[in-house]
mmCIF file of all heavy atoms in Angstrom:
data_model
loop_
_atom_site.group_PDB
_atom_site.id
_atom_site.type_symbol
_atom_site.label_atom_id
_atom_site.label_comp_id
_atom_site.label_asym_id
_atom_site.label_seq_id
_atom_site.Cartn_x
_atom_site.Cartn_y
_atom_site.Cartn_z
ATOM 1 N N PRO A 1 0.801 -1.234 0.000
ATOM 2 C CA PRO A 1 0.000 0.000 0.000
ATOM 3 C C PRO A 1 0.832 1.282 0.000
ATOM 4 O O PRO A 1 0.426 2.279 -0.602
ATOM 5 C CB PRO A 1 -0.862 -0.125 1.263
ATOM 6 C CG PRO A 1 -0.299 -1.253 2.051
ATOM 7 C CD PRO A 1 0.399 -2.140 1.094
ATOM 8 N N GLN A 2 2.021 1.271 0.634
ATOM 9 C CA GLN A 2 2.824 2.499 0.672
ATOM 10 C C GLN A 2 3.398 2.870 -0.693
ATOM 11 O O GLN A 2 3.863 3.995 -0.890
ATOM 12 C CB GLN A 2 3.935 2.406 1.727
ATOM 13 C CG GLN A 2 4.885 1.236 1.593
ATOM 14 C CD GLN A 2 4.440 0.027 2.390
ATOM 15 O OE1 GLN A 2 3.289 -0.356 2.334
ATOM 16 N NE2 GLN A 2 5.359 -0.582 3.126
ATOM 17 N N ASN A 3 3.356 1.941 -1.641
ATOM 18 C CA ASN A 3 3.800 2.245 -2.998
ATOM 19 C C ASN A 3 2.632 2.466 -3.955
ATOM 20 O O ASN A 3 2.840 2.643 -5.156
ATOM 21 C CB ASN A 3 4.680 1.107 -3.543
ATOM 22 C CG ASN A 3 6.060 1.100 -2.912
ATOM 23 O OD1 ASN A 3 6.486 2.090 -2.318
ATOM 24 N ND2 ASN A 3 6.748 -0.024 -3.001
ATOM 25 N N GLY A 4 1.421 2.437 -3.428
ATOM 26 C CA GLY A 4 0.243 2.643 -4.267
ATOM 27 C C GLY A 4 -0.005 4.115 -4.539
ATOM 28 O O GLY A 4 0.516 4.997 -3.854
ATOM 29 N N ASN A 5 -0.810 4.388 -5.554
ATOM 30 C CA ASN A 5 -1.184 5.760 -5.924
ATOM 31 C C ASN A 5 -2.606 5.995 -5.434
ATOM 32 O O ASN A 5 -3.579 5.643 -6.110
ATOM 33 C CB ASN A 5 -1.091 5.940 -7.439
ATOM 34 C CG ASN A 5 -1.298 7.394 -7.857
ATOM 35 O OD1 ASN A 5 -2.048 8.133 -7.227
ATOM 36 N ND2 ASN A 5 -0.631 7.791 -8.930
ATOM 37 N N LEU A 6 -2.729 6.578 -4.254
ATOM 38 C CA LEU A 6 -4.034 6.745 -3.624
ATOM 39 C C LEU A 6 -4.936 7.671 -4.433
ATOM 40 O O LEU A 6 -6.137 7.419 -4.577
ATOM 41 C CB LEU A 6 -3.865 7.276 -2.196
ATOM 42 C CG LEU A 6 -5.146 7.471 -1.370
ATOM 43 C CD1 LEU A 6 -5.930 6.169 -1.261
ATOM 44 C CD2 LEU A 6 -4.816 8.010 0.017
ATOM 45 N N THR A 7 -4.379 8.731 -4.989
ATOM 46 C CA THR A 7 -5.184 9.681 -5.780
ATOM 47 C C THR A 7 -5.793 9.008 -6.998
ATOM 48 O O THR A 7 -6.996 9.127 -7.262
ATOM 49 C CB THR A 7 -4.318 10.869 -6.212
ATOM 50 O OG1 THR A 7 -3.786 11.520 -5.050
ATOM 51 C CG2 THR A 7 -5.145 11.881 -7.002
ATOM 52 N N ALA A 8 -4.953 8.286 -7.750
ATOM 53 C CA ALA A 8 -5.456 7.578 -8.932
ATOM 54 C C ALA A 8 -6.460 6.506 -8.538
ATOM 55 O O ALA A 8 -7.453 6.268 -9.243
ATOM 56 C CB ALA A 8 -4.281 6.974 -9.701
ATOM 57 N N HIS A 9 -6.193 5.865 -7.433
ATOM 58 C CA HIS A 9 -7.101 4.823 -6.927
ATOM 59 C C HIS A 9 -8.489 5.396 -6.666
ATOM 60 O O HIS A 9 -9.504 4.826 -7.092
ATOM 61 C CB HIS A 9 -6.528 4.224 -5.645
ATOM 62 C CG HIS A 9 -7.537 3.507 -4.803
ATOM 63 N ND1 HIS A 9 -8.021 2.252 -5.110
ATOM 64 C CD2 HIS A 9 -8.172 3.891 -3.657
ATOM 65 C CE1 HIS A 9 -8.905 1.889 -4.196
ATOM 66 N NE2 HIS A 9 -9.016 2.857 -3.307
ATOM 67 N N LEU A 10 -8.564 6.515 -5.979
ATOM 68 C CA LEU A 10 -9.851 7.109 -5.628
ATOM 69 C C LEU A 10 -10.589 7.624 -6.853
ATOM 70 O O LEU A 10 -11.822 7.530 -6.920
ATOM 71 C CB LEU A 10 -9.646 8.230 -4.605
ATOM 72 C CG LEU A 10 -9.137 7.785 -3.226
ATOM 73 C CD1 LEU A 10 -8.819 8.987 -2.355
ATOM 74 C CD2 LEU A 10 -10.163 6.892 -2.527
ATOM 75 N N LEU A 11 -9.859 8.139 -7.823
ATOM 76 C CA LEU A 11 -10.497 8.610 -9.057
ATOM 77 C C LEU A 11 -11.166 7.450 -9.794
ATOM 78 O O LEU A 11 -12.302 7.559 -10.253
ATOM 79 C CB LEU A 11 -9.457 9.277 -9.969
ATOM 80 C CG LEU A 11 -9.013 10.683 -9.566
ATOM 81 C CD1 LEU A 11 -7.850 11.144 -10.442
ATOM 82 C CD2 LEU A 11 -10.176 11.676 -9.680
ATOM 83 N N LYS A 12 -10.461 6.333 -9.899
ATOM 84 C CA LYS A 12 -11.033 5.173 -10.571
ATOM 85 C C LYS A 12 -12.183 4.591 -9.762
ATOM 86 O O LYS A 12 -13.215 4.194 -10.324
ATOM 87 C CB LYS A 12 -9.959 4.109 -10.799
ATOM 88 C CG LYS A 12 -10.457 2.926 -11.600
ATOM 89 C CD LYS A 12 -9.337 1.938 -11.928
ATOM 90 C CE LYS A 12 -9.868 0.783 -12.779
ATOM 91 N NZ LYS A 12 -8.816 -0.196 -13.122
ATOM 92 N N ALA A 13 -12.022 4.537 -8.445
ATOM 93 C CA ALA A 13 -13.068 3.989 -7.583
ATOM 94 C C ALA A 13 -14.354 4.812 -7.689
ATOM 95 O O ALA A 13 -15.459 4.244 -7.710
ATOM 96 C CB ALA A 13 -12.593 3.937 -6.137
ATOM 97 N N ARG A 14 -14.215 6.125 -7.761
ATOM 98 C CA ARG A 14 -15.408 6.988 -7.874
ATOM 99 C C ARG A 14 -16.192 6.663 -9.147
ATOM 100 O O ARG A 14 -17.422 6.567 -9.118
ATOM 101 C CB ARG A 14 -14.992 8.453 -7.873
ATOM 102 C CG ARG A 14 -16.146 9.421 -8.104
ATOM 103 C CD ARG A 14 -15.698 10.853 -7.992
ATOM 104 N NE ARG A 14 -15.378 11.191 -6.615
ATOM 105 C CZ ARG A 14 -14.864 12.369 -6.231
ATOM 106 N NH1 ARG A 14 -14.585 13.289 -7.139
ATOM 107 N NH2 ARG A 14 -14.611 12.596 -4.968
ATOM 108 N N TYR A 15 -15.474 6.471 -10.226
ATOM 109 C CA TYR A 15 -16.124 6.128 -11.490
ATOM 110 C C TYR A 15 -16.835 4.782 -11.378
ATOM 111 O O TYR A 15 -17.968 4.626 -11.840
ATOM 112 C CB TYR A 15 -15.088 6.084 -12.618
ATOM 113 C CG TYR A 15 -15.596 5.446 -13.886
ATOM 114 C CD1 TYR A 15 -16.393 6.168 -14.773
ATOM 115 C CD2 TYR A 15 -15.290 4.113 -14.185
ATOM 116 C CE1 TYR A 15 -16.880 5.578 -15.931
ATOM 117 C CE2 TYR A 15 -15.771 3.516 -15.341
ATOM 118 C CZ TYR A 15 -16.565 4.251 -16.208
ATOM 119 O OH TYR A 15 -17.036 3.653 -17.343
ATOM 120 N N GLN A 16 -16.189 3.803 -10.759
ATOM 121 C CA GLN A 16 -16.778 2.464 -10.646
ATOM 122 C C GLN A 16 -18.001 2.459 -9.744
ATOM 123 O O GLN A 16 -18.999 1.788 -10.024
ATOM 124 C CB GLN A 16 -15.719 1.478 -10.136
ATOM 125 C CG GLN A 16 -14.621 1.218 -11.158
ATOM 126 C CD GLN A 16 -13.427 0.501 -10.557
ATOM 127 O OE1 GLN A 16 -12.957 0.859 -9.479
ATOM 128 N NE2 GLN A 16 -12.921 -0.507 -11.260
ATOM 129 N N ILE A 17 -17.953 3.206 -8.654
ATOM 130 C CA ILE A 17 -19.113 3.300 -7.761
ATOM 131 C C ILE A 17 -20.299 3.904 -8.501
ATOM 132 O O ILE A 17 -21.420 3.396 -8.433
ATOM 133 C CB ILE A 17 -18.759 4.134 -6.508
ATOM 134 C CG1 ILE A 17 -17.765 3.364 -5.632
ATOM 135 C CG2 ILE A 17 -20.020 4.469 -5.711
ATOM 136 C CD1 ILE A 17 -17.159 4.196 -4.521
ATOM 137 N N ALA A 18 -20.041 4.989 -9.246
ATOM 138 C CA ALA A 18 -21.112 5.650 -9.992
ATOM 139 C C ALA A 18 -21.691 4.744 -11.073
ATOM 140 O O ALA A 18 -22.880 4.831 -11.406
ATOM 141 C CB ALA A 18 -20.581 6.940 -10.618
ATOM 142 N N ASN A 19 -20.864 3.872 -11.599
ATOM 143 C CA ASN A 19 -21.287 3.003 -12.696
ATOM 144 C C ASN A 19 -22.212 1.878 -12.233
ATOM 145 O O ASN A 19 -23.062 1.416 -13.000
ATOM 146 C CB ASN A 19 -20.050 2.403 -13.382
ATOM 147 C CG ASN A 19 -20.347 1.921 -14.782
ATOM 148 O OD1 ASN A 19 -21.208 2.463 -15.471
ATOM 149 N ND2 ASN A 19 -19.636 0.899 -15.215
ATOM 150 N N TYR A 20 -22.052 1.455 -10.981
ATOM 151 C CA TYR A 20 -22.803 0.288 -10.528
ATOM 152 C C TYR A 20 -23.838 0.575 -9.443
ATOM 153 O O TYR A 20 -24.663 -0.287 -9.140
ATOM 154 C CB TYR A 20 -21.835 -0.799 -10.056
ATOM 155 C CG TYR A 20 -21.054 -1.374 -11.215
ATOM 156 C CD1 TYR A 20 -19.728 -1.032 -11.433
ATOM 157 C CD2 TYR A 20 -21.670 -2.227 -12.126
ATOM 158 C CE1 TYR A 20 -19.017 -1.542 -12.513
ATOM 159 C CE2 TYR A 20 -20.971 -2.737 -13.206
ATOM 160 C CZ TYR A 20 -19.657 -2.395 -13.399
ATOM 161 O OH TYR A 20 -18.972 -2.884 -14.476
ATOM 162 N N ILE A 21 -23.787 1.755 -8.853
ATOM 163 C CA ILE A 21 -24.818 2.134 -7.886
ATOM 164 C C ILE A 21 -25.357 3.498 -8.299
ATOM 165 O O ILE A 21 -24.632 4.497 -8.246
ATOM 166 C CB ILE A 21 -24.259 2.200 -6.444
ATOM 167 C CG1 ILE A 21 -23.586 0.883 -6.053
ATOM 168 C CG2 ILE A 21 -25.386 2.523 -5.470
ATOM 169 C CD1 ILE A 21 -22.946 0.913 -4.672
ATOM 170 N N ALA A 22 -26.600 3.532 -8.735
ATOM 171 C CA ALA A 22 -27.189 4.781 -9.208
ATOM 172 C C ALA A 22 -27.294 5.790 -8.069
ATOM 173 O O ALA A 22 -27.436 5.438 -6.902
ATOM 174 C CB ALA A 22 -28.571 4.509 -9.803
ATOM 175 N N GLU A 23 -27.240 7.066 -8.444
ATOM 176 C CA GLU A 23 -27.229 8.135 -7.439
ATOM 177 C C GLU A 23 -28.519 8.159 -6.639
ATOM 178 O O GLU A 23 -28.516 8.466 -5.451
ATOM 179 C CB GLU A 23 -27.005 9.490 -8.124
ATOM 180 C CG GLU A 23 -26.669 10.606 -7.164
ATOM 181 C CD GLU A 23 -26.173 11.852 -7.868
ATOM 182 O OE1 GLU A 23 -26.105 11.846 -9.108
ATOM 183 O OE2 GLU A 23 -25.846 12.836 -7.171
ATOM 184 N N ASP A 24 -29.640 7.836 -7.270
ATOM 185 C CA ASP A 24 -30.925 7.854 -6.578
ATOM 186 C C ASP A 24 -31.363 6.459 -6.155
ATOM 187 O O ASP A 24 -32.539 6.182 -5.964
ATOM 188 C CB ASP A 24 -32.003 8.474 -7.469
ATOM 189 C CG ASP A 24 -32.150 7.733 -8.799
ATOM 190 O OD1 ASP A 24 -31.289 6.875 -9.094
ATOM 191 O OD2 ASP A 24 -33.114 8.020 -9.530
ATOM 192 N N GLU A 25 -30.362 5.583 -6.027
ATOM 193 C CA GLU A 25 -30.633 4.186 -5.690
ATOM 194 C C GLU A 25 -31.322 4.074 -4.325
ATOM 195 O O GLU A 25 -31.050 4.837 -3.401
ATOM 196 C CB GLU A 25 -29.320 3.405 -5.643
ATOM 197 C CG GLU A 25 -29.512 1.910 -5.688
ATOM 198 C CD GLU A 25 -29.383 1.366 -7.100
ATOM 199 O OE1 GLU A 25 -29.296 2.143 -8.043
ATOM 200 O OE2 GLU A 25 -29.387 0.145 -7.221
ATOM 201 N N SER A 26 -32.215 3.104 -4.199
ATOM 202 C CA SER A 26 -32.877 2.841 -2.920
ATOM 203 C C SER A 26 -31.860 2.259 -1.940
ATOM 204 O O SER A 26 -30.788 1.801 -2.336
ATOM 205 C CB SER A 26 -34.032 1.868 -3.126
ATOM 206 O OG SER A 26 -33.565 0.668 -3.706
ATOM 207 N N PRO A 27 -32.180 2.238 -0.647
ATOM 208 C CA PRO A 27 -31.231 1.722 0.350
ATOM 209 C C PRO A 27 -30.797 0.298 0.046
ATOM 210 O O PRO A 27 -31.549 -0.501 -0.497
ATOM 211 C CB PRO A 27 -32.035 1.791 1.653
ATOM 212 C CG PRO A 27 -33.022 2.883 1.425
ATOM 213 C CD PRO A 27 -33.396 2.786 -0.021
ATOM 214 N N GLY A 28 -29.547 -0.004 0.420
ATOM 215 C CA GLY A 28 -29.007 -1.334 0.188
ATOM 216 C C GLY A 28 -27.649 -1.476 0.838
ATOM 217 O O GLY A 28 -27.272 -0.679 1.714
ATOM 218 N N LEU A 29 -26.894 -2.466 0.411
ATOM 219 C CA LEU A 29 -25.604 -2.791 1.007
ATOM 220 C C LEU A 29 -24.489 -2.680 -0.033
ATOM 221 O O LEU A 29 -24.681 -3.020 -1.199
ATOM 222 C CB LEU A 29 -25.624 -4.210 1.580
ATOM 223 C CG LEU A 29 -26.737 -4.522 2.590
ATOM 224 C CD1 LEU A 29 -26.704 -5.991 2.973
ATOM 225 C CD2 LEU A 29 -26.597 -3.638 3.829
ATOM 226 N N ALA A 30 -23.327 -2.220 0.412
ATOM 227 C CA ALA A 30 -22.135 -2.153 -0.434
ATOM 228 C C ALA A 30 -20.988 -2.781 0.342
ATOM 229 O O ALA A 30 -20.609 -2.294 1.415
ATOM 230 C CB ALA A 30 -21.804 -0.709 -0.809
ATOM 231 N N VAL A 31 -20.443 -3.864 -0.195
ATOM 232 C CA VAL A 31 -19.421 -4.649 0.490
ATOM 233 C C VAL A 31 -18.104 -4.543 -0.267
ATOM 234 O O VAL A 31 -18.053 -4.813 -1.474
ATOM 235 C CB VAL A 31 -19.835 -6.129 0.595
ATOM 236 C CG1 VAL A 31 -18.814 -6.914 1.415
ATOM 237 C CG2 VAL A 31 -21.227 -6.261 1.201
ATOM 238 N N ILE A 32 -17.048 -4.148 0.440
ATOM 239 C CA ILE A 32 -15.709 -4.102 -0.152
ATOM 240 C C ILE A 32 -14.970 -5.350 0.290
ATOM 241 O O ILE A 32 -14.754 -5.562 1.483
ATOM 242 C CB ILE A 32 -14.953 -2.829 0.286
ATOM 243 C CG1 ILE A 32 -15.759 -1.574 -0.056
ATOM 244 C CG2 ILE A 32 -13.577 -2.775 -0.380
ATOM 245 C CD1 ILE A 32 -15.165 -0.294 0.510
ATOM 246 N N ASP A 33 -14.577 -6.165 -0.669
ATOM 247 C CA ASP A 33 -13.912 -7.435 -0.353
ATOM 248 C C ASP A 33 -12.434 -7.343 -0.740
ATOM 249 O O ASP A 33 -12.044 -7.697 -1.845
ATOM 250 C CB ASP A 33 -14.602 -8.577 -1.106
ATOM 251 C CG ASP A 33 -14.063 -9.945 -0.694
ATOM 252 O OD1 ASP A 33 -13.216 -9.996 0.216
ATOM 253 O OD2 ASP A 33 -14.474 -10.954 -1.284
ATOM 254 N N TRP A 34 -11.620 -6.868 0.193
ATOM 255 C CA TRP A 34 -10.173 -6.762 0.023
ATOM 256 C C TRP A 34 -9.523 -7.743 0.994
ATOM 257 O O TRP A 34 -9.586 -7.549 2.207
ATOM 258 C CB TRP A 34 -9.686 -5.348 0.341
ATOM 259 C CG TRP A 34 -10.025 -4.324 -0.698
ATOM 260 C CD1 TRP A 34 -10.692 -4.515 -1.864
ATOM 261 C CD2 TRP A 34 -9.683 -2.926 -0.657
ATOM 262 N NE1 TRP A 34 -10.802 -3.335 -2.549
ATOM 263 C CE2 TRP A 34 -10.195 -2.341 -1.841
ATOM 264 C CE3 TRP A 34 -9.009 -2.125 0.259
ATOM 265 C CZ2 TRP A 34 -10.034 -0.985 -2.131
ATOM 266 C CZ3 TRP A 34 -8.853 -0.769 -0.014
ATOM 267 C CH2 TRP A 34 -9.348 -0.210 -1.212
ATOM 268 N N GLU A 35 -8.881 -8.759 0.484
ATOM 269 C CA GLU A 35 -8.369 -9.812 1.364
ATOM 270 C C GLU A 35 -6.880 -10.093 1.224
ATOM 271 O O GLU A 35 -6.354 -10.936 1.953
ATOM 272 C CB GLU A 35 -9.143 -11.117 1.112
ATOM 273 C CG GLU A 35 -10.629 -11.025 1.386
ATOM 274 C CD GLU A 35 -11.342 -12.349 1.181
ATOM 275 O OE1 GLU A 35 -10.876 -13.365 1.732
ATOM 276 O OE2 GLU A 35 -12.365 -12.377 0.458
ATOM 277 N N SER A 36 -6.176 -9.416 0.312
ATOM 278 C CA SER A 36 -4.767 -9.759 0.081
ATOM 279 C C SER A 36 -3.885 -9.397 1.259
ATOM 280 O O SER A 36 -2.942 -10.117 1.585
ATOM 281 C CB SER A 36 -4.260 -9.074 -1.196
ATOM 282 O OG SER A 36 -4.817 -9.697 -2.331
ATOM 283 N N TRP A 37 -4.164 -8.261 1.905
ATOM 284 C CA TRP A 37 -3.415 -7.873 3.098
ATOM 285 C C TRP A 37 -4.376 -7.292 4.131
ATOM 286 O O TRP A 37 -5.492 -6.922 3.809
ATOM 287 C CB TRP A 37 -2.313 -6.852 2.779
ATOM 288 C CG TRP A 37 -2.727 -5.703 1.881
ATOM 289 C CD1 TRP A 37 -2.552 -5.605 0.529
ATOM 290 C CD2 TRP A 37 -3.375 -4.476 2.274
ATOM 291 N NE1 TRP A 37 -3.059 -4.413 0.051
ATOM 292 C CE2 TRP A 37 -3.557 -3.698 1.109
ATOM 293 C CE3 TRP A 37 -3.818 -3.970 3.484
ATOM 294 C CZ2 TRP A 37 -4.170 -2.444 1.107
ATOM 295 C CZ3 TRP A 37 -4.435 -2.712 3.507
ATOM 296 C CH2 TRP A 37 -4.594 -1.968 2.321
ATOM 297 N N ARG A 38 -3.906 -7.282 5.374
ATOM 298 C CA ARG A 38 -4.702 -6.710 6.457
ATOM 299 C C ARG A 38 -4.025 -5.429 6.927
ATOM 300 O O ARG A 38 -2.802 -5.320 6.907
ATOM 301 C CB ARG A 38 -4.824 -7.714 7.611
ATOM 302 C CG ARG A 38 -5.469 -9.043 7.167
ATOM 303 C CD ARG A 38 -5.688 -9.978 8.350
ATOM 304 N NE ARG A 38 -6.238 -11.274 7.910
ATOM 305 C CZ ARG A 38 -5.559 -12.407 7.892
ATOM 306 N NH1 ARG A 38 -4.274 -12.424 8.317
ATOM 307 N NH2 ARG A 38 -6.115 -13.523 7.482
#
């Protein structure tokens, strides 16, 4: 993680979130499954 690009990561993540969860979406669950490191 210390060698990752956090800014680029967040920019891409924002696009992906918008693509799969509509802005006016009804209530629900969003699960982030990151398991490679703790």
Side-chain angles (χ1 to χ4, degrees):
Q2 56 268 47
N3 286 343
N5 187 327
L6 182 57
T7 301
H9 161 76
L10 294 173
L11 284 172
K12 185 175 182 180
R14 175 176 290 175
Y15 167 80
Q16 291 167 315
I17 291 169
N19 201 30
Y20 291 104
I21 305 177
E23 193 168 1
D24 58 350
E25 196 95 352
S26 57
L29 305 175
V31 185
I32 304 172
D33 187 4
W34 287 0
E35 299 182 50
S36 288
W37 46 263
R38 302 185 183 108

